[in-house]
Amino acid sequence: MTIGVLALLGFQLVDSAFIARLGTAPLAAQSFTFPLSFLIIGIQVGLGIAIAALISRALGAGQEARARRLGSLVLLIGTATIALLALLLWAVQAPVFGLLGADAATRELIRGYWAPQLLSAWLGAGLYFGYSLFRAHGNTRLPGTLMVVTSLVNLVLDPLLIFGIGPWEGLGLPGAAWATVAAFGVGLVVLGRHLRHTDWLCCEGLGQEMRESARPFAAIAGPAMLSQLMPPLAAMLAITAVAGLGEASVAAWGLASRLETLSLMVVLAMTMSLPPWLGRCYGAGDWGQVHRLLRLALRVIVVWQLGLGLLMALAAPWVALALSGNPEVRDDLATLIRFLLPSYAALGVCMIVVSAGNALGWPLRAMLMSAARLFLFYLPCLWLGAHLGGLPGLAAGAAAGNLLAGLAAWRVLRRILASPRRRATREAGPAASP
């Protein structure tokens, strides 16, 4: 899953790199679509979390027939939901992009790109739901492999469809979206072929299962979707604080944000691979195994992220030199790396706790923890630091916010797992009932 996450991050980077060669206008047009793309991704990931949680719990409880019904339902409902959302976003594109600040020429560029981009979002959502089904059944190898394969297909097709080859002229900006459509199409074909050789789906009893599972599904999916939509909102608010420090600081913050995503790839992979294990233990009432899994996961994350963060902090001048040729941006970026990268050990703890919460039956607490991380700890500390100490203060404030969020998440997790029911089942061992 770590390799797959890295490939998926490269997917987005490759698209932007090729589009940048078309000029500033196409790159700006693509940038205007990001907020709406994040909306689709947030809903998609929230549904995927609910899929993995419910199916893994059913499997842990030995309810294989119910797991098959849930698998069929969530694939149908998930793809239908994203299709309706895509159609809605196509219908309202003119007023929405106008509100975002796109002028008439930019909206015309977006119009040719937006239809294939929405199609690729729908295909990507179907692929993601399939990944969630495989992860719920304990198979992370195929999703990780397909993430790499689709990324490579996109890499090959991007220059061909954007710029063309020989006498054939490329499609320009829409070519990037069509390359993604083709890549996700290949992934769906491969996923479908593997799915045919399983018995994870069925067509009987779906109506009754829908009535029985609607409430628990919504109870997980709703908070999970809100949790996924909060980071983009927080990023928009954070950039307003950074913007007051000057253009060089904004450029350095953008590069630091890309480094954050790459440095957290192990955490991101674990947030996808750990919940199915925890869901099975939850379904079986094996709280002893839940405690062991979480202790192991948190130790790995703290040691890995702290080691990586300290190494990057020591190498900050050279990393900044490799990423930017502007001396002012380079100095600001080195400052951000020194403060932020080590603090991602605490951020990783918070992310693991939020992910575990969705699998272990407290999605509302997970959502509140995610909101507290961003709006109670991170943003206030960042704003206060920027006000008191400029860019170094902002970096120190953001790091302090991450540290406070990690400590708060650890305390919340300990309190939840120390409840009499969970403590009793931990002491009784795997045979205890939930």
Side-chain angles (χ1 to χ4, degrees), residues 57 60-61 277-287 290 359-362 421-422 434:
R57 289 181 195 176
W277 296 1
L278 295 175
R280 289 199 180 204
C281 296
Y282 177 91
D286 187 357
W287 286 97
V290 168
L360 295 174
W362 54 83
R421 178 171 68 90
R422 297 180 183 105

Side-chain angles (χ1 to χ4, degrees), residues 233-296:
L233 174 59
M236 291 171 63
L237 295 174
I239 202 68
T240 61
V242 182
L245 302 176
E247 190 175 86
S249 296
V250 173
W253 183 262
L255 291 171
S257 298
R258 292 185 180 93
L259 274 178
E260 174 183 322
T261 307
L262 287 173
S263 68
L264 288 170
M265 63 183 179
V266 172
V267 180
L268 294 170
M270 197 170 289
T271 60
M272 288 190 279
S273 56
L274 184 63
W277 296 1
L278 295 175
R280 289 199 180 204
C281 296
Y282 177 91
D286 187 357
W287 286 97
Q289 182 71 346
V290 168
H291 281 256
R292 289 188 290 274
L293 282 170
L294 286 174
R295 280 198 300 268
L296 176 61

Side-chain angles (χ1 to χ4, degrees), residues 372-432:
R373 174 179 82 83
L374 294 169
F375 303 110
L376 186 60
F377 301 117
Y378 178 72
L379 286 175
C381 289
L382 182 147
W383 282 330
L384 181 61
H387 178 71
L388 296 176
L391 185 93
L394 178 143
N402 287 334
L403 180 60
L404 291 172
L407 291 173
W410 169 243
R411 288 179 62 86
V412 168
L413 181 67
R414 289 192 64 182
R415 183 174 299 175
I416 291 172
L417 293 181
S419 69
R421 178 171 68 90
R422 297 180 183 105
R423 187 171 63 246
T425 48
R426 176 181 59 178
E427 293 167 354

Side-chain angles (χ1 to χ4, degrees), residues 111-172:
R111 186 174 181 84
Y113 172 74
W114 195 225
Q117 176 63 15
L118 288 173
L119 176 60
S120 73
W122 179 64
L123 294 174
L127 196 57
Y128 183 81
F129 296 145
Y131 292 163
S132 298
L133 182 61
F134 274 81
R135 291 202 309 270
H137 285 269
N139 184 337
T140 56
R141 184 183 299 271
L142 181 65
T145 302
L146 281 182
M147 286 180 183
V148 175
V149 170
T150 53
S151 183
L152 291 175
V153 172
N154 182 71
L155 174 64
V156 171
L157 292 180
D158 255 345
L160 297 178
L161 295 181
I162 294 173
F163 306 112
I165 183 171
W168 183 73
E169 292 187 5
L171 301 173

